[in-house]
Amino acid sequence: MAVELPIYLDNHATTPLDPRVLEAMLPYMTKVFGNASSRNHSFGWAAGEGVNAAREQVAKLIGASSKEIIWTSGATESNNLAIIGGARFNARKKGKHVITVLTEHKATLDSAHQLEKEGFEVTFLEVDDQGLVTPEQVAAAIREDTVLVSVMYANNEIGVIQPISEIGAVCREKGVIFHCDAVQATGKIPVNVADLNVDLLSISAHKMYGPKGIGALYVRRGRPRIRIEPLIFGGGHERGLRSGTLAVHQIVGFGKAAELAMDDLVSGEIERVRGMRDRMWTTLQENLDELYLNGSETNRLPNNLNVSFAYVEGEAMMMAIKDIAVSSGSACTSASLEPSYVLRALGVDVELAHTSIRFGLGRFTTDEEIDYAIAEVITAVNKLRDMSPLWEMVQDGIDIKSIQWEAH
Amino acid sequence: MAYSDKLVDHFENPRNMGALDKESDEVGTGLVGAPACGDVMKLQLKISDDGIIEDAKFKTFGCGSAIASSSLVTEMVKGKSVEFAENLENGAIAEELSLPPVKIHCSVLAEDAIKAALADYRRKQAAKNAPA
C-alpha cells in the first residue's frame, strides 16, 4: 500500500477528529442548535439532552459520575480552574502552599506562578533521570499549610507515567486536595478517578480524536467535599464553576470521542499502537548508534517515543524528514532559545536535549507509515551525521567535552 | 517555520560539505559555536600563496539555517581573495537566505567561522615562516 504524505506523528500535540465524532457533532450545529440553558422550549431541551448524554460518556471514560464533570474550553482552562480555583478557595482555612512538579505542562506551571504572585508559596518537585516523582517526595513536601498538590498522569513530551494512585493516597491521608492533569493519558491507558485517588482531574477532547476547544474538569463529590472558586463569572452554568453558554456541538463530540476511547482500551488498539512504537524503537536502535531514549522505558505511554539522536540537531532533523510531522526539544524550535525544560529536569545534557525528537503515534497511524518513517529517519540521521563536525570528532576519538567551547 | 526556497535548497543540497586536511599549512580551520548552544560550525579554507581561496569545506551541527549559512558561505568565498573573505559580513548571508530574525545568529556564526579559519591559516603561515 502506498503511503500518503505527509505522515502525522505528532499526536501529543493534537489528534485528528475521528470521522465518527464529526458525524455525531454535525446535527448539533444546524438542526439541534438550541441553547442548552433554554429550559422552556424543545430546542433547548434537545440541546440539553445532547449535553447530558455526553456528560455520561465522558464520566464513564474516567469512572466518574456525570455530576462530577465540569465543561471547560480545554485542558489549559481545566488546569487553571483546578489549581488557581482550588488553591484560592481553600487558602482561607488551610494556608497558602501548593506542590507541583518541574516537568508539568506550562498550563500547570504558569497557574502555579500566578499563585506565587498572589502570595502563595509553591514547591516544584524534582524528578529522577527517568522523569519520575515518588509518593515519598510528595509526602515529604506536604506541610501544615499545603492546600493543593498537582501532578500530571503522563508527560506530554516524554510520555512518562507518574505513580498517581500512590501520590493520591498520600494526599488523601494528609487531607490535601489532589489535582491530576490526565490529558495525555486519557484514552491511552485506563484512567479511573476512584483508583487514582484524585479530587480534580483535567482532560481534553482534541488529544483523543475529539474537537479542539472543549475540555473537562472532574470535581469529586462526596466527603470531604472538594470546593473550588470559579475563574469565569456569568450565568452560573456548570454549578456556578464555569459560566458561559455550553458549546453543545463540541460537548457532543467530546462525548463521542470518549465512547470511542473506551473501545480502544479493550479492542486491542492500544496494543497495536504499542507494537508499532516498540518496532520503531527497536529498528532505529538496530540501524543507528548513539540513540538515547528520554524518560522511563517501562512507565511510559504506549504511543510515545522520545529519542535523542546524538550529534544531529533537532530542527535540522525535522527539516530532513520534512514529510513526517514530529516535535523536537531543540532550542531552535522554541521561542525561548532554550532546549526543553522537561529534558533538562531529567538531567539530560543540554547537548543531547538539542537533538531530541518526539514521535507521537495514534489511532490513524499505520504500519506502512511507521516503515516509511523509520527509513526516512535512518537516512536523515546518517546524512546529518556525515555533515556534523561533532560526529566527525567522535569518530576520530576526540572527547567533545574536553574542548573549550565558546558559548554564544 | 517557513524558510526561503534558497535556504531549503542549501540545506537539502549542501555545497562543499566535507573536510580538508587540517594538518596542511595551506589549510586554515575555524571551529566556532558550542554543542550546548545547539550549533557548531567547522569551516576550512585552502589558500594559495597568492592569497586566493582555492577550496572551502564545511561541516555543521545545527539547525537548517546554520547548515544553509555555512553552505552558502563556502560558495561565496571560493575562488575569492583572502581580503574579500575577511570583509564578508553576516548581513550578506542573512539577506541571501532571507533568514528570519531569530536565525540571524546563524549568519553571525558563519562570519565568525570564516574569521577563525583565516586566523588559523595566518598562525600556520607565521609558524612556517618563523626562523627556526
Side-chain angles (χ1 to χ4, degrees), chain A residues 157-225:
Chain A
E157 287 190 30
I158 53 177
V160 162
I161 298 168
Q162 302 290 1
I164 294 301
S165 177
E166 292 80 358
I167 292 170
V170 167
C171 293
R172 191 142 308 169
E173 190 200 316
K174 305 234 182 190
V176 177
I177 296 176
F178 182 41
H179 166 252
C180 176
D181 169 356
V183 168
Q184 295 290 341
T186 313
K188 313 295 187 302
I189 54 174
V191 174
N192 181 291
V193 291
D195 294 347
L196 293 175
N197 300 313
V198 295
D199 300 312
L200 301 162
L201 182 120
S202 302
I203 53 176
S204 171
H206 79 99
K207 308 284 193 191
M208 42 188 270
Y209 313 98
K212 293 168 184 62
I214 188 77
L217 180 67
Y218 157 81
V219 181
R220 191 171 67 84
R221 285 161 74 97
R223 289 201 196 115
R225 200 168 157 209

Side-chain angles (χ1 to χ4, degrees), chain A residues 1-30:
Chain A
M1 197 175 85
V3 175
E4 202 177 311
L5 300 177
I7 293 169
Y8 189 72
L9 290 181
D10 201 15
N11 283 283
H12 297 293
T14 191
T15 56
L17 193 77
D18 190 298
R20 293 167 288 181
V21 172
L22 177 64
E23 205 183 322
M25 290 171 69
L26 283 173
Y28 288 88
M29 281 182 264
T30 48

Side-chain angles (χ1 to χ4, degrees), chain A residues 35-115:
Chain A
N35 187 325
S37 300
S38 299
R39 298 283 160 83
N40 299 306
H41 53 64
S42 61
F43 294 89
W45 299 332
E49 277 164 29
V51 169
N52 289 343
R55 214 185 286 275
E56 294 286 347
Q57 287 166 313
V58 169
K60 199 172 166 200
L61 176 64
I62 59 170
S65 134
S66 61
K67 290 183 178 137
E68 297 172 311
I69 302 297
I70 303 292
W71 303 120
T72 66
S73 61
T76 291
E77 187 189 330
S78 297
N79 286 348
N80 273 258
L81 177 58
I83 296 164
I84 298 176
R88 280 185 190 159
F89 189 95
N90 296 282
R92 295 161 211 160
K93 52 177 188 190
K94 268 206 90 178
K96 295 186 119 185
H97 180 236
V98 167
I99 299 167
T100 186
V101 185
L102 279 173
T103 52
E104 292 291 310
H105 190 272
K106 285 283 183 195
T108 293
L109 295 178
D110 284 353
S111 293
H113 292 315
Q114 175 58 33
L115 288 174

Side-chain angles (χ1 to χ4, degrees), chain A residues 311-313 315-316 319-320 322 332 350-351 354-355 383-384 386-390 392-393 396 400 405-408, chain B residues 3 7-8 11-12 14 17 19 31 33-40 42 58-64 67 103 109:
Chain A
Y311 317 115
V312 176
E313 198 277 330
E315 197 220 358
M319 278 179 77
K322 63 177 190 304
C332 281
V350 195
E351 289 89 330
H354 281 293
T355 71
K383 178 183 170 182
L384 292 170
D386 274 348
M387 217 186 278
S388 169
L390 302 175
E392 183 184 65
M393 287 178 199
D396 290 346
I400 288 174
W405 299 100
E406 265 181 59
H408 58 280
Chain B
Y3 290 125
L7 189 155
V8 173
F11 173 77
E12 289 180 348
M17 197 278 286
L31 183 67
C37 301
D39 36 29
V40 175
K42 190 188 79 166
F58 85 91
K59 280 204 177 189
T60 291
F61 161 80
C63 61
I67 289 172
K103 298 292 185 184
L109 206 59

Side-chain angles (χ1 to χ4, degrees), chain B residues 39-99:
Chain B
D39 36 29
V40 175
M41 267 181 210
K42 190 188 79 166
L43 200 100
Q44 296 186 299
L45 304 174
K46 185 174 178 229
I47 298 167
S48 68
D49 291 338
D50 52 355
I52 298 296
I53 297 170
E54 291 180 330
D55 203 358
K57 294 276 186 199
F58 85 91
K59 280 204 177 189
T60 291
F61 161 80
C63 61
S65 302
I67 289 172
S69 295
S70 24
S71 167
L72 175 67
V73 87
T74 58
E75 218 176 35
M76 284 171 124
V77 300
K78 219 168 141 174
K80 302 282 172 46
S81 67
V82 166
E83 287 68 35
F84 173 86
E86 212 154 15
N87 293 314
L88 188 68
E89 284 181 6
N90 80 292
I93 301 164
E95 197 179 326
E96 180 76 7
L97 296 175
S98 316
L99 291 181

